[in-house]
Amino acid sequence: MPAKTDEIVFKALDSFKIELPSWGFANTGTRFGKFVQAAAATSTEEKFSDAGQVNKFTGCCPSVAVHVLWDFPEGTRSIGEVKAAAEKHGVRIGAINPNVFQDQIYKHGSLGNPDPSVRQAALQHILDCIEIGKATGSRDISLWFTDGSNFPGTANIRHRKQWFIEGLKAAHDKLSANQQLLVEYKPFEPAFYHTDIADWGMSLLMSRAAGPKAKVLVDTGHHYQAQNIEQIVTWLLSENMLGGFHFNDRRYADDDLTMASIDPYQIFRIFHEIALFEWETGKRADIAYMVDQSHNLKGKIEEMIQTANIAQELYAKAAIVDRKSLAYHQEKCNLVDAEECLKDAFSTDVRPAIREWRRAKGLAEDPMAAFRASGYIERATKERQAKNLGSISTYA
Ligand code: RM4
Ligand code: MN
Ligand code: MN
């Protein structure tokens, strides 16, 4: 690989961080059942401990997104304890995810519920999360709503839209100067007729209505089949409205499989559009890269290391696209040459350069092998198996 390519890869990796979700370390399953893993995290502290391992071996995952209901059992009263646990394991608390979907009151929605007292309760929880974010120094409040309906005629879609705007505005009002709202969309599930924030356009309108510190969050699993996600990404970038990503892969619906396991070219194309935007504008796109996966079958820490590895690899491949040639070929409508520009970069084996980058950073060349050799999983199994096998697992 030419020295120049190595240099580009090094620079790209230096700037690339991806946030881990606390919920990726606990036992999860499908609606049909859960296969409990003996070594899975059983507490918020154990989730941080596991995330700390991923960061220790990959060097690119310094922060952990938290789900407030699952990680802050006492709400704002848990802040001190949770903060201390993160510090102890060398990770930072990242995006704060409110949970306005699990409580019984949310059967017919949260901010879009026809009952004003439920809307108020949902707003109050989001405001508590904003306070938690202030206390933990987290910039992002990451909002995902299950709101919607299952049957035609059962909900007033326009009223619900208005209630959402009111709620998001009220939340936006309470942000500190360095906080922001990320508004996630999803076309269906759990609602199967209409979802209040179903696609990026709705999310964009909601964010704009909420205020200047609200942006769109793109979860790669939250689209209809065949949707061109990288086009959404470029449009949001050009509108300065791309706030962040939840990465995962899918084949059918919101499958939450390992990032790039089904279609690595998809993630490469997303990273390429971001790199192209940064190259053309000369400015860094301020994007929260986050993982949102559910590890039901693979070992959770191993799956997360695998995810961090592939994320780095695809980010590096996107960085080495010959953008000057690409621009030339696009201009001349040289279709084959333009396409080959992307494919050349995608086909380049950047792994030797990544290994070298790791060596230079004092990291293990092979994070997975180093983790396996560390004995961590054996220790965790011993410590946690009684709790895991003896309890009915929850999504938290
Ligand atoms: C949703 C969505 C949210 C995540 C929950 C657990 O499908 O992706 O981002 O917080 O799952
Ligand atoms: Mn998500
Ligand atoms: Mn999802």
Side-chain angles (χ1 to χ4, degrees):
M1 194 178 292
K4 176 117 191 331
T5 313
D6 272 13
E7 227 174 85
I8 299 172
V9 170
F10 274 40
K11 223 174 128 201
L13 295 183
D14 278 345
S15 70
F16 182 70
K17 302 276 177 268
I18 186 160
E19 183 162 301
L20 304 175
S22 70
W23 54 99
F25 295 100
N27 274 316
T28 53
T30 69
R31 66 199 169 102
F32 302 106
K34 283 167 190 162
F35 299 105
V36 175
Q37 295 187 20
T42 63
S43 65
T44 308
E45 171 160 0
E46 288 177 0
K47 293 176 198 171
F48 290 144
S49 169
D50 293 359
Q53 291 297 303
V54 179
N55 188 43
K56 178 177 165 192
F57 291 107
T58 64
C60 66
C61 307
S63 61
V64 183
V66 289
H67 239 292
V68 166
L69 199 67
W70 306 332
D71 295 320
F72 291 68
E74 311 262 340
T76 46
R77 284 195 302 275
S78 299
I79 293 174
E81 203 184 309
V82 177
K83 243 179 112 174
E87 267 160 38
K88 183 173 161 199
H89 296 288
V91 288
R92 198 167 45 72
I93 297 178
I96 309 290
N97 289 248
N99 182 317
V100 287
F101 49 84
Q102 248 184 330
D103 200 281
Q104 291 300 311
I105 57 170
Y106 299 129
K107 181 172 176 181
H108 301 297
S110 60
L111 291 187
N113 196 303
D115 181 342
S117 71
V118 179
R119 297 204 294 275
Q120 186 51 42
L123 176 61
Q124 190 50 54
H125 176 70
I126 295 170
L127 297 182
D128 286 348
C129 292
I130 291 174
E131 287 315 305
I132 291 176
K134 285 175 190 165
T136 55
S138 302
R139 181 188 62 170
D140 301 324
I141 306 293
S142 191
L143 299 168
W144 174 65
F145 300 96
T146 57
D147 288 57
S149 65
N150 272 1
F151 304 100
T154 59
N156 187 315
I157 296 174
R158 239 176 330 104
H159 289 177
R160 293 175 71 98
K161 171 172 174 270
Q162 191 50 36
W163 292 326
F164 256 97
I165 290 172
E166 284 163 17
L168 290 176
K169 263 189 174 152
H172 188 282
D173 265 5
K174 301 285 184 213
L175 295 172
S176 69
N178 47 12
Q179 282 183 304
Q180 63 177 6
L181 295 182
L182 301 181
V183 183
E184 185 172 353
Y185 56 91
K186 181 171 179 175
F188 65 88
E189 196 207 18
F192 289 112
Y193 167 63
H194 104 278
T195 295
D196 285 302
I197 308 181
D199 66 25
W200 71 277
M202 298 181 199
S203 185
L204 174 72
L205 290 175
M206 285 289 173
S207 301
R208 286 227 165 106
K213 286 182 289 186
K215 289 188 173 170
V216 178
L217 181 108
V218 177
D219 182 312
T220 48
H222 291 189
H223 301 90
Y224 295 116
Q225 294 284 19
Q227 175 102 47
N228 184 333
I229 302 176
E230 61 269 27
Q231 182 180 7
I232 296 173
V233 169
T234 57
W235 276 53
L236 290 173
L237 279 169
S238 72
E239 295 289 327
N240 191 25
M241 287 301 282
L242 180 61
F245 285 96
H246 273 176
F247 286 116
N248 50 61
D249 212 343
R250 54 79 76 84
R251 175 131 176 90
Y252 299 103
D254 185 22
D255 308 341
D256 282 338
L257 299 176
T258 320
M259 178 180 183
S261 55
I262 304 285
D263 185 0
Y265 199 39
Q266 164 73 88
I267 305 292
F268 167 82
R269 295 193 305 266
I270 290 174
F271 283 150
H272 159 65
E273 288 300 341
I274 295 168
L276 183 61
F277 170 85
E278 292 181 337
W279 181 73
E280 282 180 348
T281 58
K283 59 177 187 225
R284 175 131 181 100
D286 188 5
I287 301 166
Y289 295 116
M290 300 179 273
V291 175
D292 181 10
Q293 293 172 179
S294 185
H295 305 152
N296 301 333
L297 304 176
K298 292 177 185 166
K300 292 161 199 302
I301 301 175
E302 287 198 0
E303 187 164 359
M304 220 56 109
I305 291 175
Q306 201 186 17
T307 301
N309 286 347
I310 193 70
Q312 283 188 316
E313 205 178 309
L314 293 167
Y315 192 77
K317 282 174 188 275
I320 61 171
V321 170
D322 184 347
R323 280 178 285 275
K324 240 175 151 177
S325 307
L326 182 70
Y328 174 80
H329 293 311
Q330 285 185 348
E331 175 85 24
K332 299 279 177 226
C333 293
N334 298 333
L335 309 187
V336 169
D337 302 275
E339 190 190 1
E340 288 302 317
C341 263
L342 286 197
K343 290 200 160 173
D344 273 350
F346 185 65
S347 311
T348 304
D349 188 1
V350 292
R351 289 173 302 179
I354 297 178
R355 282 197 289 273
E356 213 177 293
W357 176 82
R358 288 187 183 128
R359 272 200 299 276
K361 301 283 158 192
L363 295 163
E365 270 183 43
D366 180 345
M368 190 72 81
F371 168 69
R372 285 180 176 167
S374 72
Y376 181 89
I377 207 73
E378 289 76 13
R379 287 196 298 280
T381 305
K382 242 190 235 146
E383 276 168 38
R384 302 172 185 173
Q385 66 184 351
K387 251 193 283 177
N388 271 318
L389 303 178
S391 73
I392 300 167
S393 59
T394 73
Y395 201 62

